[in-house]
Structures are given as structure tokens and as C-alpha cells.
Amino acid sequence: MITSTSNSQVKEIIQINTKGKARRESGLFVTEGIRMFREAPADRIEKIYVSESFSQNEIHVRVLEEKLAQCGKDRLELVSDRVFAALSDTKTPQGVLCLVRQYRYGLDDLLQKPAPCVMVLENLQDPGNLGTILRAGEGAGISGVLMNRGCVDIYNPKTIRSTMGSVYRVPFCYTEDLAEGIAKLKKAGIPVFAAHLQGSCAYDEPDYHKGCAFLIGNEGNGLTEETAALADQYIRIPMEGQVESLNAGVASALLMYEAFRQRRQG
């Protein structure tokens, strides 16, 4: 059992949890909590860390044994409660976390479904918004998420928690050149829509049956003029009162579920 925060594994986890550079160099990310642990793909788990008190709970032990049967008992590391508290990124640790190998998707992976629905994000900064978009996107059956490098790190612990497991299942990728990525979507026959205050029509008017890509910009500044200009059409979300725009996660969910609604109705 690891009982010291000076342990090299403990130091590595803390670095991966807090530093984007450490995540990039290691190719790993941290998932924490019982739900995220249970849903983690066994073949991507590098190491599992459980607190001493977690290992003494019969219900938790059954969950742990189920996962170890899939990925191997050699992946398990027991740590003291004090050390686990130092490892945790949350105020109330659940006693289990694991190191998971990062995903490597390309734009082609986002286009595998018939009539793809892709979220295209520019300079999104809030980890909760990004996590919400992945989670809602899974529910709405999107094909994936394309982001520029100005977006928050998807492996940020706050983003990971916000996805509630969807990070394991929704394809995503970053691009150095967002304009080039959008051009590839268009070449694949996918109409591109920008959520914009100057939208010429309401978001539920266009036909999304044949595929769609929605451009969502920074929480404070929206889309840059250059990126917005790449859209085939501006759409808007009608609003009452003095509200000018919605939270990026909420706006994205409305758009994704409208595409989902249309497809379900045939």
C-alpha cells in the first residue's frame, strides 16, 4: 500500500491531473469516481488506485473485482486514505480513480455514421461546457466533436467529470487549422451552420436529415468573423426578454437535439 505522497506514482498522477503538458507527454488522463471507473474501457486502463476505506466496503469491492476480472489484478494499487485525498481532484473523493490511455481520433472518425452530425467548437474555454456538449451529444446521437487548439483540454479533470462517461464513447479531435477541417466537412457533403445572432432563420427551420455541422464559438466572444464566414447558413435561437445568447452547452444541446428530432421523425 502506498502511504506517502512522495511516492513517484503519486507525483505522476498529481502532475497529470493538474498539468496539460504532463497529460500530453504521458498520453494518459485521470478518471475519478465509481461511475467513471465502472464505465472505463478495460482495455484502456493503465492503472487503478483505490483508497484503503474503499477496499473495505463490500459493495465497492464487488465493483472492483468485476473490473479487475476484465483488465487484470496487476493494474490495482492500494493507497492510504490520506494519500488518496492528495491524489483526488474533488472535495469529496469516492476512493477510486484510474489512469486511462488517451484516444487518438482523426476527422475521418467523426464521419463514420450515415449523414453525420458534427459539433465544431472554436475557442471554447469552460471545461463544464465542453463536457456537457459531449454528454448531450451522445444522447442526441452526434457523430463527433471537432475543436481548434484554442479550446479547453478535453482531458482536463473538470471536463472529464462533466462528460459523465461520454468521453469514452463520443469521437473527438483537435485541429491546427479549423478552416481546413470545416472545408473537409463541406467536401464530404455536410452543410455547415453557424449559431449566430445575425441568423437568417430559426434553428429548427433548416433540414438536417442529410447531415449537418454546427459551429459554436467562445462563451464570451462567440465565433470569430473568419470562422463564421465559413458557414453555409447562419441560424439563431429565438429568445424573449433581454437575453442575447445562451450558454454554449445549452445552445449546443438545442441544436443537436433538433437534428435528432428531425431524424427520428423521418
Side-chain angles (χ1 to χ4, degrees):
M1 181 168 67
I2 298 175
T3 59
S4 172
T5 54
S6 297
N7 180 278
S8 60
Q9 293 184 64
V10 173
K11 290 182 177 179
E12 179 187 23
I13 294 170
I14 292 174
Q15 285 292 305
I16 292 173
N17 243 344
T18 58
K19 306 291 184 182
K21 181 180 179 182
R23 291 192 287 271
R24 290 191 295 272
E25 291 178 349
S26 67
L28 301 171
F29 67 102
V30 176
T31 63
E32 185 173 350
I34 296 173
R35 175 172 180 167
M36 293 296 291
F37 168 64
R38 293 187 71 166
E39 295 186 10
D43 61 347
R44 304 196 74 87
I45 294 177
E46 194 76 11
K47 201 79 173 180
I48 300 167
Y49 296 85
V50 300
S51 68
E52 188 174 11
S53 59
F54 184 95
S55 69
Q56 295 171 351
N57 181 299
E58 291 184 8
I59 297 176
H60 293 167
V61 168
R62 287 199 292 271
V63 173
L64 182 61
E65 289 177 344
E66 289 176 5
K67 185 64 73 174
L68 291 176
Q70 300 171 17
C71 64
K73 293 183 178 180
D74 59 322
R75 304 294 170 90
L76 179 63
E77 198 75 59
L78 184 65
V79 304
S80 69
D81 289 357
R82 182 181 66 85
V83 170
F84 195 92
L87 292 177
S88 176
D89 185 63
T90 66
K91 292 182 179 179
T92 54
Q94 295 182 31
V96 59
L97 63 77
C98 50
L99 286 175
V100 182
R101 289 193 297 279
Q102 295 180 12
Y103 292 83
R104 293 286 182 266
Y105 296 110
L107 183 55
D108 289 344
D109 295 308
L110 277 57
L111 304 177
Q112 295 303 306
K113 290 185 177 182
C117 176
V118 180
M119 295 304 298
V120 182
L121 312 179
E122 181 184 39
N123 301 331
L124 211 69
Q125 293 298 296
D126 186 86
N129 276 336
L130 180 53
T132 296
I133 290 170
L134 256 74
R135 184 182 181 188
E138 181 180 13
I142 67 169
S143 310
V145 179
L146 176 65
M147 299 166 278
N148 72 336
R149 289 293 178 185
C151 285
V152 64
D153 181 6
I154 199 165
Y155 294 118
N156 178 303
K158 292 182 176 62
T159 306
I160 295 297
R161 283 198 299 275
S162 297
T163 71
M164 295 295 284
S166 294
V167 69
Y168 301 137
R169 299 176 290 271
V170 178
F172 56 86
C173 67
Y174 287 86
T175 178
E176 299 293 341
D177 189 336
L178 194 60
E180 182 180 339
I182 293 171
K184 288 182 179 179
L185 293 175
K186 289 184 174 185
K187 187 175 181 180
I190 301 172
V192 177
F193 302 89
H196 202 282
L197 294 177
Q198 298 177 15
S200 59
C201 65
Y203 73 100
D204 58 352
E205 293 181 38
D207 184 349
Y208 303 130
H209 286 86
K210 296 181 180 180
C212 53
F214 296 115
L215 307 184
I216 298 291
N218 175 268
E219 291 88 348
N221 302 314
L223 292 165
T224 61
E225 291 183 7
E226 294 80 5
T227 298
L230 299 173
D232 294 309
Q233 186 175 1
Y234 286 1
I235 54 176
R236 56 183 168 77
I237 298 173
M239 302 199 195
E240 300 268 339
Q242 300 182 39
V243 177
E244 288 188 354
S245 62
L246 296 176
N247 168 284
V250 173
S252 296
L254 285 173
L255 300 177
M256 293 185 289
Y257 270 91
E258 173 58 23
F260 179 57
R261 182 192 68 81
Q262 290 188 16
R263 295 175 189 203
R264 287 198 66 180
Q265 290 184 348

